[in-house]
Amino acid sequence: MRITIDRDRCIGSGQCVMTAPGVFTQDDDAVVALLPGQEDGAGDPRVRDVPMACPVQAVTISGE
Amino acid sequence: MTETDIRPTGSPDLSFPQDRTCPYQPPKVYADGRGQGPLSRVELFDGRPAWMVTGHAEGRALLADPRLSSDWGHPVFPVVVQRTEDRGGLAFPLIGVDDPEHARQRRMLIPSFGVKRMAAMRPLIQDLVDRLLDDMLEKGPTADLVSAFALPVPSMAICELLGVPYGDHDFFEERSRDFVGAATSAEADAAFAALYGYLHGLVAKKQAEPGDGLLDELIARQLEEGALDHNEVVMIALVLLVAGHETTVNAIALGALTLLEHPEQLEALRNDPGLISGTVEELLRFTSVSDYMVRMAKEDIEVGGETIKAGDAVVVSISLMNRDAKAYEDPDTFDVRRNARHHVGFGHGIHQCLGQNLARAEIEIALGTLVTRIPGLRLAVPVDEVPIKAGHDAQGPVELPVTW
Ligand code: HEM
Ligand code: HEM
Ligand code: SF4
């Protein structure tokens, strides 16, 4: 699985962090970031729900 | 917007908004329209026709669509509540502007509302909630849960976040209470003028002697980018104050009422405190404290087999989207164990609530602590005697007499 984040779109809602806290975080500006080493989703099934949870389509997932 | 358009769906005679009869259910007359598809027709108080969006998927798609505008300053932006008809040419940051203006303002503010920052506010909120409950228990065994509990929590939290000096709390809280609770627009204007004046002075003071609240950060960021727009900082503070106040008061009070009216759910929560965050999401879905949002189409938009024309007024019904049977099984059942994900209690798209994680922390701590510390809590009057807000306000009880 590959997670792509669009930091320019992000509005800092925190939905991604709430949904999959082991994979997503926010940087000091409260903009989305991926936790180091977790860019492949870390096998967390909740990651699949993040694209729908994000209010501005800033997160996309490709691959299995 | 053309008067000659004939759109057969829904009832163009239904005037919007309607008052709720049950405090936590959407008005029944809207629900009657639920069978008719994701969009129906309503009429605003000034006679202007509007689309009412009730489908969960369609509403989310529309809220994410840049062709739907939130520009309150537009000369024909739809007006839903008469008292806001005359906005006096004031610019409303965030909630009342479109991108790119919106993105610029939001970027300056999100660091103050980040997930980590909100986690750091929790001990403060807990302490505040504990003190309010100590006080209530001492004065008991009856109280108005709105004024004794639901109101001071968000009010003090927002002062803390903005960096309002402790000595000014009383003035600040009283004026904001007058502002959101005003019966007439003259009263609201007076409170608004007092708050504006106060915040104007506060920003000047902070510029000279910086502290570490949100306003201080905002001033610093603006100076970094070039010049301080004094009026913009004051207006942002006002929007935060209004948006963060009445909504959260109602979420706490209506949340308590909903739990008391569903004793088996309340029991489940009391037995398993781990259910609290799911309970808060389900309350946000089920009660939809902010009942609707207003938009105007900038271009024609095809949705749900209809065409919303450029210039059309659109009301997006949060309460009915949150009760769409296509999105939630048994949508009218309050179930603290359900996964209420993707509810639109905080909206959707670029304007999705800036304060949502603060609100979550406040509601979670307030209700979680309330139900464990006062296990015998119950209504002091029959539920149908609890006075509730009008349909155009944030939804919730005006007062909530309780006993234990
Ligand atoms: C996200 C939600 C909201 C935001 C950002 C917001 C923002 C504002 C701002 C900045 C003003 C001051 C400008 C003026 O006086 O013309 C205002 C006016 C006002 N708002 Fe809101 N508001 C929100 C929701 C509410 C709610 C839920 C209520 C109802 C309880 C409410 C009640 C009022 C009243 C009474 C005025 C006085 C203005 C007048 O009489 O025209 N607002 N709003
Ligand atoms: C349970 C409590 C709350 C509810 C139900 C709520 C609901 C909402 C909704 C539905 C919107 C979207 C409005 C739209 O799209 O037109 C919104 C926006 C907003 N809310 Fe909240 N809110 C709550 C608490 C708060 C708090 C605590 C704050 C701040 C301290 C806050 C600040 C804002 C702001 C600034 C916006 C505008 C964001 C933007 O346009 O980017 N809200 N809120
Ligand atoms: S859910 Fe979307 S908008 Fe919210 S923080 Fe994550 S990426 Fe940003």
Side-chain angles (χ1 to χ4, degrees):
Chain A
M1 178 196 293
R2 222 176 87 82
I3 305 171
T4 314
I5 54 174
D6 183 344
R7 288 170 43 87
D8 289 335
R9 287 183 83 99
C10 173
I11 56 156
S13 73
Q15 301 280 350
C16 53
V17 186
M18 216 171 71
T19 307
V23 175
F24 293 89
T25 186
Q26 290 180 339
D27 67 12
D28 289 344
D29 289 329
V31 174
V32 63
L34 293 170
L35 283 165
Q38 315 295 309
E39 294 83 353
D40 61 352
D44 183 346
R46 289 172 300 181
V47 170
R48 295 251 166 238
D49 196 35
V50 172
M52 267 292 276
C54 175
V56 293
Q57 293 82 48
V59 179
T60 45
I61 286 178
S62 55
E64 279 310 297
Chain B
M1 192 180 44
T2 50
E3 306 300 348
T4 48
D5 276 339
I6 297 158
R7 299 193 182 90
T9 331
S11 151
D13 306 327
L14 177 61
S15 98
F16 185 95
Q18 299 280 328
D19 295 343
R20 290 187 183 182
T21 45
C22 168
Y24 47 78
Q25 305 287 12
K28 193 166 174 313
V29 278
Y30 302 164
D32 290 344
R34 267 197 287 191
Q36 301 175 352
L39 267 77
S40 47
R41 299 293 289 165
V42 292
E43 190 179 278
L44 305 181
F45 78 92
D46 56 0
R48 180 168 177 174
W51 295 99
M52 179 171 74
V53 184
T54 57
H56 186 264
E58 294 79 4
R60 279 174 44 112
L62 281 170
L63 289 168
D65 193 322
R67 291 173 296 179
L68 217 50
S69 167
S70 281
D71 180 9
W72 295 8
H74 192 285
V76 294
F77 195 81
V79 178
V80 175
V81 188
Q82 198 151 16
R83 70 162 182 242
T84 60
E85 204 168 14
D86 176 19
R87 291 201 168 115
L90 279 167
F92 290 77
L94 291 161
I95 188 127
V97 293
D98 292 337
D99 278 347
E101 176 78 355
H102 172 268
R104 184 186 63 82
Q105 292 169 340
R106 180 116 182 177
R107 276 288 159 132
M108 288 193 296
L109 286 165
I110 56 176
S112 304
F113 290 91
V115 173
K116 290 171 209 160
R117 189 70 69 86
M118 290 305 113
M121 288 254 324
R122 281 179 168 259
L124 262 160
I125 300 170
Q126 183 69 60
D127 186 56
L128 168 63
V129 162
D130 287 340
R131 280 187 288 128
L132 289 168
L133 287 178
D134 287 345
D135 221 42
M136 219 174 87
L137 284 164
E138 199 184 298
K139 291 186 188 139
T142 55
D144 166 21
L145 200 68
V146 175
S147 57
F149 188 63
L151 215 145
V153 174
S155 167
M156 293 188 70
I158 195 78
C159 284
E160 186 64 43
L161 189 81
L162 288 177
V164 171
Y166 195 76
D168 293 348
H169 268 206
D170 281 347
F171 170 88
F172 195 69
E173 273 168 42
E174 256 168 52
R175 293 307 171 286
S176 46
R177 209 166 299 176
D178 291 350
F179 180 56
V180 293
T184 65
S185 65
E187 274 172 42
D189 285 351
F192 174 78
L195 274 173
Y196 191 94
Y198 170 80
L199 289 166
H200 201 273
L202 184 64
V203 171
K205 219 185 293 172
K206 282 180 174 296
Q207 205 184 345
E209 286 171 57
D212 58 4
L214 182 155
L215 290 181
D216 301 284
E217 280 172 42
L218 196 55
I219 293 167
R221 265 167 201 269
Q222 281 208 347
L223 287 174
E224 228 171 75
E225 283 178 13
L228 177 73
D229 182 341
H230 204 102
N231 179 59
E232 190 184 55
V233 175
V234 173
M235 284 305 289
I236 286 175
L238 264 166
V239 165
L240 290 177
L241 183 71
V242 178
H245 208 270
E246 186 73 357
T247 42
T248 317
V249 174
N250 286 296
I252 294 171
L254 190 49
L257 177 61
T258 305
L259 284 167
L260 290 173
E261 283 300 293
H262 295 83
E264 69 301 341
Q265 298 290 319
L266 175 56
E267 194 58 27
L269 172 63
R270 223 179 249 131
N271 292 336
D272 180 2
L275 289 174
I276 188 68
S277 57
T279 301
V280 172
E281 296 311 309
E282 172 66 347
L283 280 171
L284 289 163
R285 180 194 76 85
F286 186 74
T287 64
S288 300
V289 168
S290 281
D291 194 89
Y292 62 88
M293 295 174 281
V294 184
R295 297 289 191 269
M296 191 173 82
K298 285 197 285 198
E299 296 168 35
D300 292 3
I301 308 172
E302 307 272 335
V303 62
E306 305 274 2
T307 306
I308 297 176
K309 289 267 175 38
D312 279 2
V314 180
V315 293
V316 183
S317 174
I318 291 179
S319 55
L320 291 182
M321 282 173 66
N322 278 340
R323 301 288 187 103
D324 184 342
K326 289 204 192 90
Y328 305 100
E329 206 174 306
D330 287 334
D332 297 327
T333 302
F334 175 63
D335 178 2
V336 300
R337 290 192 183 81
R338 87 156 74 228
N339 186 345
R341 65 183 185 177
H342 311 156
H343 71 72
V344 287
F346 288 122
H348 187 69
I350 61 167
H351 294 282
Q352 193 185 58
C353 186
L354 174 68
Q356 58 182 292
N357 294 310
L358 175 61
R360 284 191 170 97
E362 291 179 41
I363 304 165
E364 205 178 300
I365 294 168
L367 292 180
T369 313
L370 177 71
V371 303
T372 42
R373 279 201 59 191
I374 317 185
L377 190 74
R378 57 187 194 278
L379 291 182
V381 298
V383 66
D384 52 12
E385 285 173 24
V386 173
I388 58 172
K389 306 267 168 72
H392 53 75
D393 283 337
Q395 295 299 293
V398 179
E399 48 183 62
L400 190 59
V402 291
T403 187
W404 56 89

